[in-house]
Amino acid sequence: MAKIVVVTSGKGGVGKTTTSASFATGLAKRGFKTVVIDFDVGLRNLDLIMGCENRVVYDFVDVITGQARLSQALIKDRAIDNLFILPASQTKDKDALSDEGVASVIEQLSAEFDYIVCDSPAGIERGAIVAMYHADEALIVTNPEISSVRDSDRIIGVLQSRSKRAENGDSVREHLVITRFNPQRAENKEMLSIDMISKDILKVPLIGVIPECQSVLEASNRGIPVINYEQSEAGQAYDDVVARFLNEERPYRFIDVKKKGWFGRIFGDQ
């Protein structure tokens, strides 16, 4: 049976789909057969981030409504043999994600895959609720600013009360991913610190800190998960997230202010 991981956030634009793409890619690169599902019906951005937008013929809703077989809608990644994408529909309504239909697709995928990564829409709309319902584990993605963190706190409440595991008296295992972190700005009190977010406000175990990095935008524009930018700070940070999820020990990187060399101390930043 597959392990189901939902990637969710309270606020849009925090890097949730970027995280879904890199997390799923990282699992697949480690040998796990992985599928990532786009639950954001009506918008559909995951296929762009994964670089397969021109290969979409059938989508998630087509499978649910019986217009296509699951095998017809799944898109195999060109670079990684055991990575697949199930895209969302751009034209259907979110109500098309019926409970029974989603459950049937999840059941079919569970028999074939090691991991099912659910890229949830932001907030608590229909697609987000359905994506979170089946989760065994959750990556909660937030930026280090108070409105994003506050909205993530609301999402945690939904995970703890409206998931299938909650109905059965169990719980979804939660992991926190902080994106767009800038150590200098945090030190200057221009954004929330890591400890304030993870320990004081959300009280969710931290699994990764993704630094502000130009490579994230470049990778998105090229349709390449940024984890494949192995020399970039963001790519390395996402690889650390996957490693920690799989219980590997990894020190945290890119979270401290870089010390200036003697030239910088004398002349300052240019």
Side-chain angles (χ1 to χ4, degrees), residues 143-207:
N143 289 161
E145 52 103 7
I146 191 62
S147 63
S148 178
V149 175
R150 180 195 62 192
D151 290 348
S152 293
D153 202 19
R154 189 179 184 193
I155 288 297
I156 292 168
V158 174
L159 280 167
Q160 292 174 345
S161 62
R162 298 181 65 177
S163 67
K164 184 176 182 180
R165 280 181 166 260
E167 289 179 356
N168 295 328
D170 202 349
S171 61
V172 176
R173 187 181 179 199
E174 300 162 352
H175 312 272
L176 178 64
V177 179
I178 301 173
T179 55
R180 298 177 184 166
F181 184 74
N182 184 308
Q184 186 64 65
R185 292 183 62 197
E187 186 174 271
N188 294 343
K189 312 296 185 186
E190 296 172 6
M191 62 172 51
L192 299 177
S193 70
I194 294 169
D195 281 351
M196 182 174 291
I197 298 168
S198 63
K199 297 180 180 179
D200 298 339
I201 302 177
L202 297 182
K203 297 179 174 62
V204 172
L206 184 69
I207 198 172

Side-chain angles (χ1 to χ4, degrees), residues 2-8 23 27 114-120 131-140 155 159 163-165 170-176 204-205 207 241-242 244-247:
K3 179 170 286 187
I4 304 167
V5 184
V6 65
V7 181
T8 185
F23 181 69
L27 290 171
D114 298 311
Y115 283 98
I116 300 170
V117 178
C118 302
D119 182 31
S120 167
M132 287 187 281
Y133 180 76
H134 295 277
D136 298 310
E137 305 199 33
L139 301 187
I140 298 157
I155 288 297
L159 280 167
S163 67
K164 184 176 182 180
R165 280 181 166 260
D170 202 349
S171 61
V172 176
R173 187 181 179 199
E174 300 162 352
H175 312 272
L176 178 64
V204 172
I207 198 172
V241 169
V242 177
R244 294 187 193 104
F245 181 83
L246 297 173
N247 298 315

Side-chain angles (χ1 to χ4, degrees), residues 17-18 21-22 25 36 38 44-56 75-79 83-85 87 218-226 228:
T17 298
T18 295
S22 284
T25 300
V36 55
D38 191 346
R44 200 176 84 188
N45 289 317
L46 180 65
D47 56 307
L48 292 171
I49 301 295
M50 302 290 288
C52 62
E53 69 276 12
N54 294 326
R55 298 167 60 201
V56 176
I75 300 172
K76 184 178 179 181
D77 188 82
R78 284 189 171 132
L83 177 61
F84 293 78
I85 301 96
E218 181 182 339
S220 295
N221 288 337
R222 292 183 62 191
I224 300 172
V226 72
N228 288 331

